[in-house]
Amino acid sequence: MPFSVTLDEKIARARADLRMGVPVVLREGAARVVVAAIETLSSERLAQMRDVGDALHIAVTNRRAETLSAPAYDGDLVRIAVPFDAPATWVHAMADPSLDLVMPMKGPFLYLRDGSALVDRTIIRLCKTAGLLPGAILAPVAEEPEGLLVLEVAEIEAGAALRMPLDQIAHARVPLHVSQKSRVHVYRKRDGGEEHYAIEVGRPARDKPVLSRLHSACFTGDVIGSLKCDCGPQLQAALAQIGIEGEGVLLYLNQEGRGIGLANKMRAYSLQDQGFDTVEANHRLGFEDDERDFRLGAEILQSLGFKSTRLMTNNPAKVARMEEAGIAVSERVPLHVGRTAQNTGYLDTKAKKSGHLL
């Protein structure tokens, strides 16, 4: 009896292939398109794509298109033809802002404006969830090349509209410096994505608002003490406040760099060193201001039996997303810590452009 592979498993495989630089095939109706992530595209892969397909083009988001001075004819993205003699370095420069100063003049461009952009939209979403730059190269083909993973665009799009469940994988008692009565719960998405954690202190009553903090992972701030953000101090202050009250839940979500991943966050930092603020840097990379999914926190709280919370945050968007996901926020508890000479500009930008209450 042959094994069957679910759509979630295929998508997980696709993300892994894209990260390794291996193309995949996307089907949309009768159309077949070989697609690859620009970030991991090698010269050899580019040559292979030219061998199997005609009229290669790239797709980048409307945010990246602004930097390229390219009109986003498809609204959220732009499709640009790849010149027949363009090397992989040209393709990389279209998506990677670190090459903007090296290759400032990339045009003139030939745009694709007819037909569906659904395949382009789907592969950009896959690149984002794989932690890659949101840019792809596409080669329409008459026949599917052997050896590549094949996915149906309609299935991927339908699956994207559904909430991927989180399963609690394990939990155990972990004494902390703020409280010895604490447990760590580990959650994993069924699509093989990042794991997320809930640190529960004490035994909070399930029928009352629980003091909680929705904290996004920050390797630089939480682990190595970066002064460029206020994440580390916020994490410690939230744990300390929960410890003082004797009960609460800290939700630690692995959504580094506002959901763009550590590598892209370092790219954004490099752009900040050139004079761009945190929002402008994200846009030059091709991302939105904030790519995080705060509904994950609501799902974890619900799985633990909570229906309401006193949420420690300076971000009104977190309050709105929690309430939209079914967790009532009875109180927003400010968390004003961690301002330094090095991160004042960053915090001011968050207040001005992202609505943080600082």
Side-chain angles (χ1 to χ4, degrees):
M1 180 177 178
F3 285 99
S4 61
V5 180
T6 68
L7 175 61
D8 296 330
E9 291 165 343
K10 287 183 180 179
I11 292 175
R13 287 185 181 183
R15 288 199 302 261
D17 283 354
L18 294 171
R19 287 175 65 87
M20 292 186 294
V22 178
V24 299
V25 177
L26 296 184
R27 293 174 178 166
E28 184 193 7
R32 305 289 187 269
V33 186
V34 175
V35 299
I38 289 178
E39 179 177 335
T40 53
L41 179 73
S42 66
S43 297
E44 292 75 19
R45 292 296 190 196
L46 177 58
Q48 289 175 333
M49 293 183 74
R50 284 198 169 106
D51 286 341
V52 300
D54 297 322
L56 274 64
H57 73 273
I58 65 162
V60 294
T61 68
N62 59 321
R63 293 301 190 183
R64 179 61 183 158
E66 293 172 4
T67 298
L68 299 174
S69 298
Y73 289 113
D74 294 303
D76 58 342
L77 57 87
V78 62
R79 294 173 287 163
I80 300 175
V82 177
F84 74 94
D85 58 348
T89 51
W90 181 90
V91 180
H92 291 155
M94 295 295 285
D96 188 348
S98 70
L99 301 174
D100 285 345
L101 297 179
V102 178
M103 192 180 295
M105 302 298 293
K106 305 178 184 67
F109 302 129
L110 175 63
Y111 301 102
L112 280 67
R113 301 176 62 176
D114 298 326
S116 171
L118 186 57
V119 172
D120 306 80
R121 198 164 285 116
T122 300
I123 182 57
I124 284 178
R125 180 182 292 115
L126 286 174
C127 287
K128 281 187 176 183
T129 58
L132 301 170
L133 286 169
I137 183 168
L138 301 88
V141 295
E143 297 181 357
E144 298 165 4
E146 293 185 7
L148 298 182
L149 180 67
V150 180
L151 298 97
E152 296 283 351
V153 167
E155 290 183 335
I156 298 173
E157 291 299 308
L162 301 175
R163 291 292 299 145
M164 177 55 58
L166 281 168
D167 295 318
Q168 185 170 171
I169 303 302
H171 60 90
R173 186 178 67 86
V174 181
L176 304 177
H177 70 279
V178 298
S179 174
Q180 295 190 34
K181 298 178 180 179
S182 53
R183 301 181 69 81
V184 173
H185 306 263
V186 178
Y187 288 81
R188 182 183 299 150
K189 294 181 75 172
R190 291 182 189 174
D191 64 357
E194 294 284 354
E195 293 177 347
H196 307 283
Y197 321 123
I199 297 91
E200 181 180 8
V201 173
R203 293 293 183 185
R206 266 49 180 176
D207 59 349
K208 297 179 181 179
V210 61
L211 180 65
S212 70
R213 162 72 179 164
L214 207 61
H215 190 87
S216 298
C218 177
F219 169 77
T220 51
D222 299 344
V223 180
I224 60 176
S226 168
L227 300 176
K228 284 180 68 69
C229 65
D230 56 343
C231 302
Q234 283 192 331
L235 173 63
Q236 296 305 320
L239 282 172
Q241 184 60 37
I242 290 173
I244 290 171
E245 297 203 9
E247 57 185 30
V249 177
L250 187 136
L251 302 161
Y252 196 90
L253 307 181
N254 274 307
Q255 301 189 112
E256 180 83 43
R258 294 186 183 177
I260 67 176
L262 183 58
N264 287 320
K265 176 180 168 180
M266 292 300 100
R267 292 185 173 108
Y269 275 9
S270 179
L271 291 170
Q272 290 172 34
D273 288 340
Q274 296 177 28
F276 300 101
D277 67 34
T278 181
V279 172
E280 293 167 343
N282 271 25
H283 289 179
R284 292 185 76 87
L285 288 166
F287 294 102
E288 294 300 320
D289 302 20
D290 197 331
E291 297 275 354
R292 291 174 292 182
D293 184 358
F294 296 126
R295 295 173 298 177
L296 293 168
E299 188 175 344
I300 292 174
L301 283 182
Q302 289 166 339
S303 77
L304 292 172
F306 298 104
K307 297 180 180 179
S308 60
T309 181
R310 296 163 52 220
L311 188 63
M312 286 186 281
T313 184
N314 304 321
N315 185 357
K318 289 185 179 181
V319 175
R321 299 296 87 78
M322 292 287 273
E323 292 189 327
E324 289 172 2
I327 293 291
V329 179
S330 64
E331 179 187 1
R332 185 188 68 83
V333 181
L335 200 60
H336 296 159
V337 295
R339 183 178 286 269
T340 67
Q342 293 83 358
N343 68 25
T344 289
Y346 164 75
L347 295 180
D348 289 346
T349 297
K350 287 206 298 182
K352 181 179 180 180
K353 294 188 174 182
S354 302
H356 288 227
L357 303 175
L358 301 176

